[in-house]
Amino acid sequence: MKQYLNDTERLRLLALRPEKLDMILDTDTFNEVDDQFALAYALCSKERLNVEAVYAAPFLNQTVSSPAEGMKKSHAEILRLLAKMHLSGKVNVFEGSESFLPSGDVAVESPAARDLVKRAKAHSPENPLYAVCIAAATDIASAILLEPSIIKNMVIIWLGGNPMHWCTAREFNLSQDIAAARILFDCGAALVHIPAMGVSSHLLTTLPELKAHLEGKNALCDALIELYAAYSPDHYGWAKEIWDISAIAYLINPDWVPATIVHSPLLTDSHSFSTDRNRHFIKCADFVYRNPIFSDMFRKLSALKD
């Protein structure tokens, strides 16, 4: 793919600005329970984040019959959560792709992809748009395929795959649309890669902890606890990863999600990473500090007024 950024420009974009950040959130909200926490966390972090839009991403698992149904249910779940936060009609919400990429060079048209193109064009290298993707990368990749030059005004934060040293890159977000994931690694964008195993997998919480800090605080907190409780039939000695909040936490305070400048890996068809030191640079998260992230999120969610 044509490289629209050189290393100096890319590294400048990857240096997180201290000012308030404009972002969009691309989320498969109905897929699990962590997306709801991430969406709420972002919207409750107004001191640092300006959420310009939320996109419903496609997904396919045992709860839906197609990526299109996954996207539609995610769209409905976003609207349901916004209602709990008294934000109905106050946040831009767009439907995303109804299918995964058919190939590595064909975009899937959607309102979300078109909106991302428009918003990225309205930004600049000095004031970039932060495209946070906590799902299959279909919508983000489609926008880049529709208008490759938008990477000059954008920083992508993507939670997907595993660390490059892991035995496999195979992970839900990556494997849902490997062609889209490959575009993120190949297009030369300023990319912050947040892996799953050994990194965002540290973000574990339990039902007793959620009840202790959030129960009865407001309708949103009670809805999140209800979602979490329904995810497992047995909570004895059980904890669940709330993976997706790592992407939000990185933008709020990058010290909580330390990341290293590395060469962008090659993603193979066998869902593994290969190293080429001639490739452009990206940032890759190495770890998450679980305690300050959950402490910050709990305080913000519990402070929301009904």
Side-chain angles (χ1 to χ4, degrees), residues 245-282:
I245 62 173
S246 57
I248 307 303
Y250 172 81
L251 291 181
I252 294 171
N253 188 337
D255 290 341
W256 296 341
V257 188
T260 304
I261 298 292
V262 299
H263 293 280
S264 186
L266 290 161
L267 178 57
T268 72
D269 290 335
S270 59
H271 298 235
S272 63
F273 285 131
S274 180
T275 301
D276 181 350
R277 297 189 183 278
N278 294 313
R279 300 259 288 173
H280 62 278
F281 291 116
I282 64 169

PDB file of all heavy atoms in Angstrom, residues 245-282:
ATOM      1  N   ILE A 245     -11.553  -1.840  27.917  1.00  0.00           N
ATOM      2  CA  ILE A 245     -11.286  -0.571  28.595  1.00  0.00           C
ATOM      3  C   ILE A 245      -9.809  -0.182  28.489  1.00  0.00           C
ATOM      4  O   ILE A 245      -9.458   0.972  28.731  1.00  0.00           O
ATOM      5  CB  ILE A 245     -11.741  -0.585  30.062  1.00  0.00           C
ATOM      6  CG1 ILE A 245     -10.990  -1.639  30.877  1.00  0.00           C
ATOM      7  CG2 ILE A 245     -13.250  -0.782  30.149  1.00  0.00           C
ATOM      8  CD1 ILE A 245     -11.299  -1.578  32.374  1.00  0.00           C
ATOM      9  N   SER A 246      -8.950  -1.120  28.092  1.00  0.00           N
ATOM     10  CA  SER A 246      -7.530  -0.791  27.933  1.00  0.00           C
ATOM     11  C   SER A 246      -7.326   0.275  26.870  1.00  0.00           C
ATOM     12  O   SER A 246      -6.452   1.144  27.006  1.00  0.00           O
ATOM     13  CB  SER A 246      -6.721  -2.046  27.574  1.00  0.00           C
ATOM     14  OG  SER A 246      -7.223  -2.655  26.398  1.00  0.00           O
ATOM     15  N   ALA A 247      -8.113   0.227  25.802  1.00  0.00           N
ATOM     16  CA  ALA A 247      -7.959   1.211  24.716  1.00  0.00           C
ATOM     17  C   ALA A 247      -8.365   2.611  25.181  1.00  0.00           C
ATOM     18  O   ALA A 247      -7.752   3.606  24.780  1.00  0.00           O
ATOM     19  CB  ALA A 247      -8.797   0.793  23.511  1.00  0.00           C
ATOM     20  N   ILE A 248      -9.389   2.689  26.023  1.00  0.00           N
ATOM     21  CA  ILE A 248      -9.804   3.976  26.570  1.00  0.00           C
ATOM     22  C   ILE A 248      -8.780   4.468  27.582  1.00  0.00           C
ATOM     23  O   ILE A 248      -8.397   5.643  27.594  1.00  0.00           O
ATOM     24  CB  ILE A 248     -11.196   3.856  27.223  1.00  0.00           C
ATOM     25  CG1 ILE A 248     -12.211   3.236  26.240  1.00  0.00           C
ATOM     26  CG2 ILE A 248     -11.666   5.222  27.711  1.00  0.00           C
ATOM     27  CD1 ILE A 248     -12.360   3.970  24.935  1.00  0.00           C
ATOM     28  N   ALA A 249      -8.310   3.560  28.428  1.00  0.00           N
ATOM     29  CA  ALA A 249      -7.331   3.931  29.455  1.00  0.00           C
ATOM     30  C   ALA A 249      -6.050   4.462  28.834  1.00  0.00           C
ATOM     31  O   ALA A 249      -5.428   5.383  29.375  1.00  0.00           O
ATOM     32  CB  ALA A 249      -7.036   2.722  30.343  1.00  0.00           C
ATOM     33  N   TYR A 250      -5.626   3.896  27.700  1.00  0.00           N
ATOM     34  CA  TYR A 250      -4.412   4.373  27.040  1.00  0.00           C
ATOM     35  C   TYR A 250      -4.524   5.858  26.693  1.00  0.00           C
ATOM     36  O   TYR A 250      -3.572   6.617  26.868  1.00  0.00           O
ATOM     37  CB  TYR A 250      -4.135   3.556  25.782  1.00  0.00           C
ATOM     38  CG  TYR A 250      -2.998   4.129  24.955  1.00  0.00           C
ATOM     39  CD1 TYR A 250      -1.677   3.879  25.297  1.00  0.00           C
ATOM     40  CD2 TYR A 250      -3.248   4.968  23.872  1.00  0.00           C
ATOM     41  CE1 TYR A 250      -0.627   4.438  24.574  1.00  0.00           C
ATOM     42  CE2 TYR A 250      -2.212   5.530  23.143  1.00  0.00           C
ATOM     43  CZ  TYR A 250      -0.905   5.262  23.492  1.00  0.00           C
ATOM     44  OH  TYR A 250       0.121   5.829  22.789  1.00  0.00           O
ATOM     45  N   LEU A 251      -5.681   6.272  26.205  1.00  0.00           N
ATOM     46  CA  LEU A 251      -5.854   7.672  25.835  1.00  0.00           C
ATOM     47  C   LEU A 251      -5.956   8.574  27.060  1.00  0.00           C
ATOM     48  O   LEU A 251      -5.509   9.722  27.037  1.00  0.00           O
ATOM     49  CB  LEU A 251      -7.106   7.838  24.967  1.00  0.00           C
ATOM     50  CG  LEU A 251      -7.049   7.234  23.565  1.00  0.00           C
ATOM     51  CD1 LEU A 251      -8.358   7.505  22.829  1.00  0.00           C
ATOM     52  CD2 LEU A 251      -5.870   7.772  22.770  1.00  0.00           C
ATOM     53  N   ILE A 252      -6.553   8.082  28.129  1.00  0.00           N
ATOM     54  CA  ILE A 252      -6.690   8.890  29.336  1.00  0.00           C
ATOM     55  C   ILE A 252      -5.332   9.100  30.002  1.00  0.00           C
ATOM     56  O   ILE A 252      -4.973  10.220  30.383  1.00  0.00           O
ATOM     57  CB  ILE A 252      -7.682   8.230  30.314  1.00  0.00           C
ATOM     58  CG1 ILE A 252      -9.089   8.226  29.704  1.00  0.00           C
ATOM     59  CG2 ILE A 252      -7.674   8.950  31.670  1.00  0.00           C
ATOM     60  CD1 ILE A 252     -10.088   7.420  30.495  1.00  0.00           C
ATOM     61  N   ASN A 253      -4.580   8.026  30.142  1.00  0.00           N
ATOM     62  CA  ASN A 253      -3.260   8.116  30.780  1.00  0.00           C
ATOM     63  C   ASN A 253      -2.364   7.020  30.215  1.00  0.00           C
ATOM     64  O   ASN A 253      -2.459   5.865  30.637  1.00  0.00           O
ATOM     65  CB  ASN A 253      -3.376   7.972  32.295  1.00  0.00           C
ATOM     66  CG  ASN A 253      -2.062   8.248  33.001  1.00  0.00           C
ATOM     67  OD1 ASN A 253      -0.982   8.138  32.416  1.00  0.00           O
ATOM     68  ND2 ASN A 253      -2.136   8.614  34.278  1.00  0.00           N
ATOM     69  N   PRO A 254      -1.489   7.339  29.263  1.00  0.00           N
ATOM     70  CA  PRO A 254      -0.661   6.304  28.633  1.00  0.00           C
ATOM     71  C   PRO A 254       0.287   5.606  29.605  1.00  0.00           C
ATOM     72  O   PRO A 254       0.780   4.521  29.293  1.00  0.00           O
ATOM     73  CB  PRO A 254       0.099   7.069  27.550  1.00  0.00           C
ATOM     74  CG  PRO A 254       0.059   8.498  27.975  1.00  0.00           C
ATOM     75  CD  PRO A 254      -1.245   8.676  28.692  1.00  0.00           C
ATOM     76  N   ASP A 255       0.525   6.198  30.768  1.00  0.00           N
ATOM     77  CA  ASP A 255       1.363   5.518  31.767  1.00  0.00           C
ATOM     78  C   ASP A 255       0.691   4.248  32.278  1.00  0.00           C
ATOM     79  O   ASP A 255       1.364   3.354  32.794  1.00  0.00           O
ATOM     80  CB  ASP A 255       1.657   6.447  32.946  1.00  0.00           C
ATOM     81  CG  ASP A 255       2.599   7.587  32.580  1.00  0.00           C
ATOM     82  OD1 ASP A 255       3.305   7.464  31.553  1.00  0.00           O
ATOM     83  OD2 ASP A 255       2.629   8.583  33.310  1.00  0.00           O
ATOM     84  N   TRP A 256      -0.626   4.188  32.170  1.00  0.00           N
ATOM     85  CA  TRP A 256      -1.348   2.991  32.607  1.00  0.00           C
ATOM     86  C   TRP A 256      -1.239   1.851  31.593  1.00  0.00           C
ATOM     87  O   TRP A 256      -1.493   0.697  31.936  1.00  0.00           O
ATOM     88  CB  TRP A 256      -2.832   3.307  32.814  1.00  0.00           C
ATOM     89  CG  TRP A 256      -3.105   4.294  33.906  1.00  0.00           C
ATOM     90  CD1 TRP A 256      -2.275   4.663  34.930  1.00  0.00           C
ATOM     91  CD2 TRP A 256      -4.313   5.046  34.072  1.00  0.00           C
ATOM     92  NE1 TRP A 256      -2.891   5.600  35.725  1.00  0.00           N
ATOM     93  CE2 TRP A 256      -4.145   5.855  35.224  1.00  0.00           C
ATOM     94  CE3 TRP A 256      -5.514   5.115  33.380  1.00  0.00           C
ATOM     95  CZ2 TRP A 256      -5.145   6.715  35.684  1.00  0.00           C
ATOM     96  CZ3 TRP A 256      -6.508   5.975  33.828  1.00  0.00           C
ATOM     97  CH2 TRP A 256      -6.323   6.766  34.980  1.00  0.00           C
ATOM     98  N   VAL A 257      -0.897   2.178  30.358  1.00  0.00           N
ATOM     99  CA  VAL A 257      -0.778   1.177  29.289  1.00  0.00           C
ATOM    100  C   VAL A 257       0.554   1.426  28.567  1.00  0.00           C
ATOM    101  O   VAL A 257       0.581   1.958  27.455  1.00  0.00           O
ATOM    102  CB  VAL A 257      -1.961   1.254  28.299  1.00  0.00           C
ATOM    103  CG1 VAL A 257      -1.927   0.078  27.319  1.00  0.00           C
ATOM    104  CG2 VAL A 257      -3.294   1.264  29.042  1.00  0.00           C
ATOM    105  N   PRO A 258       1.672   1.085  29.188  1.00  0.00           N
ATOM    106  CA  PRO A 258       2.977   1.376  28.571  1.00  0.00           C
ATOM    107  C   PRO A 258       3.127   0.651  27.236  1.00  0.00           C
ATOM    108  O   PRO A 258       2.760  -0.512  27.095  1.00  0.00           O
ATOM    109  CB  PRO A 258       3.982   0.884  29.607  1.00  0.00           C
ATOM    110  CG  PRO A 258       3.223  -0.048  30.498  1.00  0.00           C
ATOM    111  CD  PRO A 258       1.809   0.429  30.496  1.00  0.00           C
ATOM    112  N   ALA A 259       3.664   1.383  26.269  1.00  0.00           N
ATOM    113  CA  ALA A 259       3.799   0.845  24.914  1.00  0.00           C
ATOM    114  C   ALA A 259       5.185   1.141  24.368  1.00  0.00           C
ATOM    115  O   ALA A 259       5.818   2.131  24.743  1.00  0.00           O
ATOM    116  CB  ALA A 259       2.732   1.442  24.002  1.00  0.00           C
ATOM    117  N   THR A 260       5.638   0.287  23.471  1.00  0.00           N
ATOM    118  CA  THR A 260       6.967   0.375  22.877  1.00  0.00           C
ATOM    119  C   THR A 260       6.855   0.607  21.377  1.00  0.00           C
ATOM    120  O   THR A 260       5.950   0.071  20.723  1.00  0.00           O
ATOM    121  CB  THR A 260       7.743  -0.936  23.130  1.00  0.00           C
ATOM    122  OG1 THR A 260       7.784  -1.195  24.533  1.00  0.00           O
ATOM    123  CG2 THR A 260       9.158  -0.851  22.590  1.00  0.00           C
ATOM    124  N   ILE A 261       7.780   1.404  20.847  1.00  0.00           N
ATOM    125  CA  ILE A 261       7.861   1.577  19.389  1.00  0.00           C
ATOM    126  C   ILE A 261       8.499   0.320  18.791  1.00  0.00           C
ATOM    127  O   ILE A 261       9.601  -0.082  19.181  1.00  0.00           O
ATOM    128  CB  ILE A 261       8.704   2.807  19.019  1.00  0.00           C
ATOM    129  CG1 ILE A 261       8.044   4.085  19.573  1.00  0.00           C
ATOM    130  CG2 ILE A 261       8.894   2.908  17.518  1.00  0.00           C
ATOM    131  CD1 ILE A 261       6.733   4.448  18.923  1.00  0.00           C
ATOM    132  N   VAL A 262       7.794  -0.302  17.848  1.00  0.00           N
ATOM    133  CA  VAL A 262       8.285  -1.532  17.208  1.00  0.00           C
ATOM    134  C   VAL A 262       8.016  -1.446  15.708  1.00  0.00           C
ATOM    135  O   VAL A 262       7.246  -0.598  15.245  1.00  0.00           O
ATOM    136  CB  VAL A 262       7.598  -2.787  17.786  1.00  0.00           C
ATOM    137  CG1 VAL A 262       7.879  -2.938  19.275  1.00  0.00           C
ATOM    138  CG2 VAL A 262       6.085  -2.758  17.526  1.00  0.00           C
ATOM    139  N   HIS A 263       8.637  -2.331  14.960  1.00  0.00           N
ATOM    140  CA  HIS A 263       8.324  -2.441  13.537  1.00  0.00           C
ATOM    141  C   HIS A 263       6.978  -3.146  13.377  1.00  0.00           C
ATOM    142  O   HIS A 263       6.700  -4.139  14.049  1.00  0.00           O
ATOM    143  CB  HIS A 263       9.415  -3.229  12.811  1.00  0.00           C
ATOM    144  CG  HIS A 263      10.736  -2.534  12.769  1.00  0.00           C
ATOM    145  ND1 HIS A 263      11.013  -1.535  11.860  1.00  0.00           N
ATOM    146  CD2 HIS A 263      11.848  -2.688  13.525  1.00  0.00           C
ATOM    147  CE1 HIS A 263      12.247  -1.098  12.056  1.00  0.00           C
ATOM    148  NE2 HIS A 263      12.781  -1.770  13.058  1.00  0.00           N
ATOM    149  N   SER A 264       6.164  -2.612  12.489  1.00  0.00           N
ATOM    150  CA  SER A 264       4.859  -3.219  12.256  1.00  0.00           C
ATOM    151  C   SER A 264       5.037  -4.653  11.756  1.00  0.00           C
ATOM    152  O   SER A 264       5.786  -4.904  10.801  1.00  0.00           O
ATOM    153  CB  SER A 264       4.077  -2.415  11.214  1.00  0.00           C
ATOM    154  OG  SER A 264       2.765  -2.932  11.084  1.00  0.00           O
ATOM    155  N   PRO A 265       4.362  -5.619  12.375  1.00  0.00           N
ATOM    156  CA  PRO A 265       4.546  -7.010  11.965  1.00  0.00           C
ATOM    157  C   PRO A 265       3.818  -7.332  10.664  1.00  0.00           C
ATOM    158  O   PRO A 265       2.894  -6.622  10.251  1.00  0.00           O
ATOM    159  CB  PRO A 265       3.934  -7.791  13.128  1.00  0.00           C
ATOM    160  CG  PRO A 265       2.849  -6.889  13.630  1.00  0.00           C
ATOM    161  CD  PRO A 265       3.397  -5.488  13.484  1.00  0.00           C
ATOM    162  N   LEU A 266       4.224  -8.400  10.053  1.00  0.00           N
ATOM    163  CA  LEU A 266       3.503  -8.979   8.922  1.00  0.00           C
ATOM    164  C   LEU A 266       2.526 -10.004   9.483  1.00  0.00           C
ATOM    165  O   LEU A 266       2.917 -10.890  10.251  1.00  0.00           O
ATOM    166  CB  LEU A 266       4.475  -9.651   7.954  1.00  0.00           C
ATOM    167  CG  LEU A 266       5.379  -8.711   7.152  1.00  0.00           C
ATOM    168  CD1 LEU A 266       6.584  -9.478   6.614  1.00  0.00           C
ATOM    169  CD2 LEU A 266       4.601  -8.072   6.012  1.00  0.00           C
ATOM    170  N   LEU A 267       1.274  -9.896   9.112  1.00  0.00           N
ATOM    171  CA  LEU A 267       0.246 -10.815   9.573  1.00  0.00           C
ATOM    172  C   LEU A 267      -0.002 -11.855   8.491  1.00  0.00           C
ATOM    173  O   LEU A 267      -0.399 -11.525   7.375  1.00  0.00           O
ATOM    174  CB  LEU A 267      -1.033 -10.052   9.892  1.00  0.00           C
ATOM    175  CG  LEU A 267      -2.239 -10.855  10.356  1.00  0.00           C
ATOM    176  CD1 LEU A 267      -1.921 -11.685  11.594  1.00  0.00           C
ATOM    177  CD2 LEU A 267      -3.422  -9.916  10.629  1.00  0.00           C
ATOM    178  N   THR A 268       0.240 -13.111   8.804  1.00  0.00           N
ATOM    179  CA  THR A 268       0.141 -14.181   7.821  1.00  0.00           C
ATOM    180  C   THR A 268      -1.271 -14.758   7.768  1.00  0.00           C
ATOM    181  O   THR A 268      -2.079 -14.554   8.681  1.00  0.00           O
ATOM    182  CB  THR A 268       1.125 -15.316   8.147  1.00  0.00           C
ATOM    183  OG1 THR A 268       0.656 -16.027   9.312  1.00  0.00           O
ATOM    184  CG2 THR A 268       2.519 -14.758   8.418  1.00  0.00           C
ATOM    185  N   ASP A 269      -1.554 -15.515   6.731  1.00  0.00           N
ATOM    186  CA  ASP A 269      -2.856 -16.164   6.604  1.00  0.00           C
ATOM    187  C   ASP A 269      -3.081 -17.223   7.677  1.00  0.00           C
ATOM    188  O   ASP A 269      -4.222 -17.605   7.945  1.00  0.00           O
ATOM    189  CB  ASP A 269      -2.991 -16.813   5.221  1.00  0.00           C
ATOM    190  CG  ASP A 269      -3.117 -15.788   4.110  1.00  0.00           C
ATOM    191  OD1 ASP A 269      -3.566 -14.654   4.401  1.00  0.00           O
ATOM    192  OD2 ASP A 269      -2.765 -16.104   2.957  1.00  0.00           O
ATOM    193  N   SER A 270      -2.017 -17.695   8.287  1.00  0.00           N
ATOM    194  CA  SER A 270      -2.134 -18.689   9.350  1.00  0.00           C
ATOM    195  C   SER A 270      -2.296 -18.041  10.722  1.00  0.00           C
ATOM    196  O   SER A 270      -2.137 -18.697  11.753  1.00  0.00           O
ATOM    197  CB  SER A 270      -0.914 -19.613   9.356  1.00  0.00           C
ATOM    198  OG  SER A 270       0.274 -18.865   9.546  1.00  0.00           O
ATOM    199  N   HIS A 271      -2.612 -16.761  10.729  1.00  0.00           N
ATOM    200  CA  HIS A 271      -2.879 -16.027  11.969  1.00  0.00           C
ATOM    201  C   HIS A 271      -1.648 -16.016  12.876  1.00  0.00           C
ATOM    202  O   HIS A 271      -1.730 -16.252  14.085  1.00  0.00           O
ATOM    203  CB  HIS A 271      -4.076 -16.632  12.720  1.00  0.00           C
ATOM    204  CG  HIS A 271      -5.354 -16.568  11.960  1.00  0.00           C
ATOM    205  ND1 HIS A 271      -6.509 -15.987  12.447  1.00  0.00           N
ATOM    206  CD2 HIS A 271      -5.678 -17.017  10.716  1.00  0.00           C
ATOM    207  CE1 HIS A 271      -7.469 -16.081  11.550  1.00  0.00           C
ATOM    208  NE2 HIS A 271      -6.986 -16.709  10.489  1.00  0.00           N
ATOM    209  N   SER A 272      -0.506 -15.695  12.292  1.00  0.00           N
ATOM    210  CA  SER A 272       0.725 -15.552  13.063  1.00  0.00           C
ATOM    211  C   SER A 272       1.411 -14.267  12.621  1.00  0.00           C
ATOM    212  O   SER A 272       1.131 -13.727  11.544  1.00  0.00           O
ATOM    213  CB  SER A 272       1.650 -16.751  12.838  1.00  0.00           C
ATOM    214  OG  SER A 272       2.049 -16.830  11.479  1.00  0.00           O
ATOM    215  N   PHE A 273       2.303 -13.769  13.470  1.00  0.00           N
ATOM    216  CA  PHE A 273       3.057 -12.569  13.148  1.00  0.00           C
ATOM    217  C   PHE A 273       4.461 -12.939  12.691  1.00  0.00           C
ATOM    218  O   PHE A 273       5.096 -13.838  13.242  1.00  0.00           O
ATOM    219  CB  PHE A 273       3.171 -11.655  14.371  1.00  0.00           C
ATOM    220  CG  PHE A 273       1.906 -10.904  14.710  1.00  0.00           C
ATOM    221  CD1 PHE A 273       1.414 -10.901  16.005  1.00  0.00           C
ATOM    222  CD2 PHE A 273       1.224 -10.193  13.739  1.00  0.00           C
ATOM    223  CE1 PHE A 273       0.267 -10.206  16.338  1.00  0.00           C
ATOM    224  CE2 PHE A 273       0.061  -9.492  14.058  1.00  0.00           C
ATOM    225  CZ  PHE A 273      -0.409  -9.510  15.351  1.00  0.00           C
ATOM    226  N   SER A 274       4.938 -12.224  11.686  1.00  0.00           N
ATOM    227  CA  SER A 274       6.303 -12.377  11.203  1.00  0.00           C
ATOM    228  C   SER A 274       6.979 -11.013  11.261  1.00  0.00           C
ATOM    229  O   SER A 274       6.336  -9.984  11.040  1.00  0.00           O
ATOM    230  CB  SER A 274       6.295 -12.913   9.766  1.00  0.00           C
ATOM    231  OG  SER A 274       7.606 -13.067   9.287  1.00  0.00           O
ATOM    232  N   THR A 275       8.257 -10.990  11.585  1.00  0.00           N
ATOM    233  CA  THR A 275       8.981  -9.732  11.782  1.00  0.00           C
ATOM    234  C   THR A 275       9.779  -9.352  10.544  1.00  0.00           C
ATOM    235  O   THR A 275      10.433 -10.182   9.934  1.00  0.00           O
ATOM    236  CB  THR A 275       9.943  -9.856  12.981  1.00  0.00           C
ATOM    237  OG1 THR A 275       9.178 -10.175  14.147  1.00  0.00           O
ATOM    238  CG2 THR A 275      10.689  -8.556  13.218  1.00  0.00           C
ATOM    239  N   ASP A 276       9.708  -8.081  10.189  1.00  0.00           N
ATOM    240  CA  ASP A 276      10.522  -7.512   9.110  1.00  0.00           C
ATOM    241  C   ASP A 276      10.997  -6.148   9.597  1.00  0.00           C
ATOM    242  O   ASP A 276      10.206  -5.205   9.721  1.00  0.00           O
ATOM    243  CB  ASP A 276       9.700  -7.377   7.829  1.00  0.00           C
ATOM    244  CG  ASP A 276      10.506  -6.800   6.664  1.00  0.00           C
ATOM    245  OD1 ASP A 276      11.641  -6.335   6.897  1.00  0.00           O
ATOM    246  OD2 ASP A 276       9.992  -6.804   5.534  1.00  0.00           O
ATOM    247  N   ARG A 277      12.272  -6.014   9.882  1.00  0.00           N
ATOM    248  CA  ARG A 277      12.808  -4.778  10.456  1.00  0.00           C
ATOM    249  C   ARG A 277      12.925  -3.651   9.438  1.00  0.00           C
ATOM    250  O   ARG A 277      13.380  -2.559   9.780  1.00  0.00           O
ATOM    251  CB  ARG A 277      14.148  -5.058  11.133  1.00  0.00           C
ATOM    252  CG  ARG A 277      14.029  -6.014  12.303  1.00  0.00           C
ATOM    253  CD  ARG A 277      15.305  -6.115  13.113  1.00  0.00           C
ATOM    254  NE  ARG A 277      15.168  -7.099  14.174  1.00  0.00           N
ATOM    255  CZ  ARG A 277      14.587  -6.866  15.352  1.00  0.00           C
ATOM    256  NH1 ARG A 277      14.100  -5.653  15.590  1.00  0.00           N
ATOM    257  NH2 ARG A 277      14.495  -7.805  16.267  1.00  0.00           N
ATOM    258  N   ASN A 278      12.520  -3.894   8.210  1.00  0.00           N
ATOM    259  CA  ASN A 278      12.444  -2.825   7.217  1.00  0.00           C
ATOM    260  C   ASN A 278      11.070  -2.145   7.201  1.00  0.00           C
ATOM    261  O   ASN A 278      10.865  -1.180   6.474  1.00  0.00           O
ATOM    262  CB  ASN A 278      12.754  -3.371   5.824  1.00  0.00           C
ATOM    263  CG  ASN A 278      14.188  -3.835   5.690  1.00  0.00           C
ATOM    264  OD1 ASN A 278      15.109  -3.123   6.083  1.00  0.00           O
ATOM    265  ND2 ASN A 278      14.392  -5.030   5.144  1.00  0.00           N
ATOM    266  N   ARG A 279      10.163  -2.672   8.004  1.00  0.00           N
ATOM    267  CA  ARG A 279       8.802  -2.138   8.024  1.00  0.00           C
ATOM    268  C   ARG A 279       8.730  -0.849   8.840  1.00  0.00           C
ATOM    269  O   ARG A 279       9.620  -0.526   9.635  1.00  0.00           O
ATOM    270  CB  ARG A 279       7.861  -3.179   8.625  1.00  0.00           C
ATOM    271  CG  ARG A 279       7.814  -4.514   7.859  1.00  0.00           C
ATOM    272  CD  ARG A 279       6.603  -4.612   7.002  1.00  0.00           C
ATOM    273  NE  ARG A 279       5.406  -4.802   7.789  1.00  0.00           N
ATOM    274  CZ  ARG A 279       4.179  -4.788   7.272  1.00  0.00           C
ATOM    275  NH1 ARG A 279       4.008  -4.572   5.981  1.00  0.00           N
ATOM    276  NH2 ARG A 279       3.125  -4.982   8.045  1.00  0.00           N
ATOM    277  N   HIS A 280       7.640  -0.112   8.657  1.00  0.00           N
ATOM    278  CA  HIS A 280       7.424   1.137   9.379  1.00  0.00           C
ATOM    279  C   HIS A 280       7.172   0.867  10.863  1.00  0.00           C
ATOM    280  O   HIS A 280       6.921  -0.267  11.268  1.00  0.00           O
ATOM    281  CB  HIS A 280       6.246   1.897   8.764  1.00  0.00           C
ATOM    282  CG  HIS A 280       4.946   1.144   8.845  1.00  0.00           C
ATOM    283  ND1 HIS A 280       4.588   0.168   7.939  1.00  0.00           N
ATOM    284  CD2 HIS A 280       3.922   1.212   9.736  1.00  0.00           C
ATOM    285  CE1 HIS A 280       3.402  -0.319   8.259  1.00  0.00           C
ATOM    286  NE2 HIS A 280       2.984   0.287   9.352  1.00  0.00           N
ATOM    287  N   PHE A 281       7.191   1.937  11.650  1.00  0.00           N
ATOM    288  CA  PHE A 281       7.020   1.814  13.091  1.00  0.00           C
ATOM    289  C   PHE A 281       5.555   1.952  13.507  1.00  0.00           C
ATOM    290  O   PHE A 281       4.782   2.703  12.912  1.00  0.00           O
ATOM    291  CB  PHE A 281       7.836   2.883  13.825  1.00  0.00           C
ATOM    292  CG  PHE A 281       9.321   2.679  13.742  1.00  0.00           C
ATOM    293  CD1 PHE A 281      10.119   3.612  13.084  1.00  0.00           C
ATOM    294  CD2 PHE A 281       9.920   1.572  14.308  1.00  0.00           C
ATOM    295  CE1 PHE A 281      11.493   3.439  13.002  1.00  0.00           C
ATOM    296  CE2 PHE A 281      11.291   1.391  14.233  1.00  0.00           C
ATOM    297  CZ  PHE A 281      12.079   2.327  13.581  1.00  0.00           C
ATOM    298  N   ILE A 282       5.211   1.217  14.550  1.00  0.00           N
ATOM    299  CA  ILE A 282       3.939   1.387  15.248  1.00  0.00           C
ATOM    300  C   ILE A 282       4.246   1.367  16.740  1.00  0.00           C
ATOM    301  O   ILE A 282       5.389   1.165  17.149  1.00  0.00           O
ATOM    302  CB  ILE A 282       2.921   0.269  14.908  1.00  0.00           C
ATOM    303  CG1 ILE A 282       3.438  -1.105  15.402  1.00  0.00           C
ATOM    304  CG2 ILE A 282       2.622   0.234  13.419  1.00  0.00           C
ATOM    305  CD1 ILE A 282       2.386  -2.203  15.346  1.00  0.00           C
TER     306      ILE A 282
END
